[in-house]
């Protein structure tokens, strides 16, 4: 899933206090790459990791880098969800901020086979089996949520709970997680309006044929910022089903770093850091509150 442009959002990232990565049980998450890497029998520390440049962690993303994943197209500032995650992983591995170097790599170039000018790339890469034929992924650092969007002044604008939405006209694209979540989680009083594409759903919303539509959160950020006049994110759904995309850090195929990077992500998930960063950058700063 590609990221999309968003309006400027300014906020300072929380300070991260994380310990160095130590070997632990292998992740059993479906998103883990399955590549053992040379780190399986070594320590996950800067002096042991076989990085592109000794003692330095080189992280890539695309250019420009959009919000809320990054802020001011400056991944090195540590602001935005993915920048904050990258620095948290670096710290978990024992790298200071000064030991991190950023480089820019286009999305499509990063997922092609071949040598990589980075240790890992963070760029909303959905973990897929097809891509894993050419690259490695860490265990997932984010599972895509579903969100409700509308237009300013609509009946859905200002809703703060699922109960506020149930009596409205709601829609989603056919055969999607969005439609499943609309039906089972929001459980509207009326049958949902089903569209062939998100473009059709967006047009119906713009024309007032529905009060709100359900899409995944990255799509919600893009549509409300770039495509929908007076677009509003009503909120995201805490229970977004089991079919959502998962984002992983991308590494070269059979990278010796994959195991340690996955362990770092797993540690950040287990200690609550990923949830805190998601709340900060994808809910509070991005103004996408969780609906319950």
């Amino acid at each position: 899933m590609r990221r999309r442009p968003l309006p400027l959002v300014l906020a300072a990232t929380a300070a991260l206090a994380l310990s160095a990565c130590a070997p632990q049980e292998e992740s059993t998450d479906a998103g883990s790459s399955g590549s053992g890497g040379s780190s399986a029998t070594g320590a996950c520390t800067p002096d042991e990791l076989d990085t592109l440049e000794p003692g330095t962690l080189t992280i890539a993303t695309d250019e420009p880098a959009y919000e809320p994943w990054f802020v001011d197209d400056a991944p090195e500032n540590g602001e935005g969800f993915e920048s904050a995650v990258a620095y948290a992983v670096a710290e978990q591995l024992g790298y200071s901020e000064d030991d991190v170097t950023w480089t820019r790599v286009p999305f499509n170039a990063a997922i092609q086979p071949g040598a990589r000018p980075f240790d890992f790339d963070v760029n909303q890469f959905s973990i897929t089996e097809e891509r894993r034929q050419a690259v490695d992924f860490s265990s997932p650092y984010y599972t895509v949520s579903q969100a409700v969007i509308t237009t300013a002044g609509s009946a859905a604008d200002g809703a703060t709970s699922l109960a506020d939405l149930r009596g409205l006209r709601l829609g989603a694209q056919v055969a999607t997680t969005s439609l499943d979540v609309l039906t089972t989680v929001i459980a509207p009083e009326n049958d949902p309006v089903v569209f062939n594409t998100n473009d059709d759903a967006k047009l119906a919303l713009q024309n007032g044929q529905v009060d709100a539509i359900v899409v995944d959160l990255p799509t919600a950020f893009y549509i409300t910022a770039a495509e929908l006049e007076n677009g509003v994110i009503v909120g995201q759904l805490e229970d977004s089903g089991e079919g959502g995309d998962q984002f992983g850090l991308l590494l070269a195929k059979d990278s010796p770093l994959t195991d340690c990077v996955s362990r770092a992500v797993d540690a950040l998930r287990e200690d609550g850091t990923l949830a805190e960063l998601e709340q900060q950058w994808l809910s509070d700063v991005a103004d996408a509150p969780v609906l319950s």
Side-chain angles (χ1 to χ4, degrees):
M1 181 172 296
R2 288 306 305 272
R3 50 189 168 67
R4 304 292 192 175
L6 296 165
L8 185 61
V9 181
L10 297 175
T13 189
L16 302 172
L18 305 170
S19 59
C21 175
Q24 58 187 30
E25 293 184 3
E26 289 287 338
S27 168
T28 58
D29 196 295
S32 183
S33 79
S35 173
S38 63
S39 62
T41 57
C44 298
T45 58
D47 57 341
E48 294 289 338
L49 291 173
D50 186 15
T51 52
L52 194 67
E53 297 291 338
T56 298
L57 189 64
T58 303
I59 306 175
T61 195
D62 207 340
E63 187 172 29
Y66 295 112
E67 299 178 26
W69 315 103
F70 299 88
V71 172
D72 292 341
D73 190 23
E76 65 277 1
N77 66 16
E79 299 181 15
F81 178 64
E82 290 195 320
S83 179
V85 166
Y87 277 110
V89 169
E91 190 167 358
Q92 190 74 24
L93 293 170
Y95 293 93
S96 69
E97 290 185 11
D98 292 339
D99 295 329
V100 174
T101 297
W102 287 87
T103 188
R104 302 301 188 111
V105 176
F107 184 97
N108 289 334
I111 60 177
Q112 298 304 313
R116 298 289 191 279
F118 55 78
D119 295 312
F120 68 75
D121 194 330
V122 56
N123 192 11
Q124 301 110 71
F125 293 108
S126 294
I127 299 170
T128 69
E129 289 305 315
E130 181 180 2
R131 289 175 178 172
R132 284 162 121 175
Q133 303 307 306
V135 299
D136 277 2
F137 288 104
S138 72
S139 54
Y141 60 87
Y142 175 62
T143 299
V144 174
S145 298
Q146 298 297 312
V148 179
I149 65 173
T150 189
T151 53
S154 78
D157 188 14
T160 59
S161 69
L162 299 181
D164 292 339
L165 297 171
R166 290 192 172 114
L168 305 181
R169 295 169 299 164
L170 306 176
Q173 182 178 334
V174 65
T176 60
T177 301
S178 300
L179 181 58
D180 292 342
V181 169
L182 167 56
T183 303
T184 62
V185 177
I186 299 178
E189 297 171 4
N190 304 306
D191 290 339
V193 182
V194 180
F195 299 97
N196 289 326
T197 67
N198 274 338
D199 284 340
D200 291 341
K202 178 186 64 180
L203 182 62
L205 178 59
Q206 189 73 68
N207 292 337
Q209 295 170 299
V210 290
D211 297 314
I213 61 175
V214 178
V215 295
D216 65 62
L217 186 58
T219 300
F221 286 138
Y222 175 64
I223 289 178
T224 56
E227 293 188 342
L228 190 62
E229 185 177 354
N230 298 318
V232 174
I233 297 178
V234 177
Q236 56 185 301
L237 303 172
E238 185 174 17
D239 181 359
S240 287
E242 299 180 355
D245 285 355
Q246 293 183 312
F247 293 170
L249 304 175
L250 182 147
L251 303 92
K253 185 66 176 174
D254 298 324
S255 168
L257 306 179
T258 301
D259 183 68
C260 278
V261 172
S262 284
R263 294 180 188 183
V265 172
D266 291 343
L268 295 169
R269 183 185 311 106
E270 290 164 8
D271 72 10
T273 298
L274 291 180
E276 291 174 3
L277 294 177
E278 184 177 335
Q279 175 67 35
Q280 179 185 2
W281 292 107
L282 300 184
S283 182
D284 296 344
V285 172
D287 196 20
V290 175
L291 301 172
S292 59

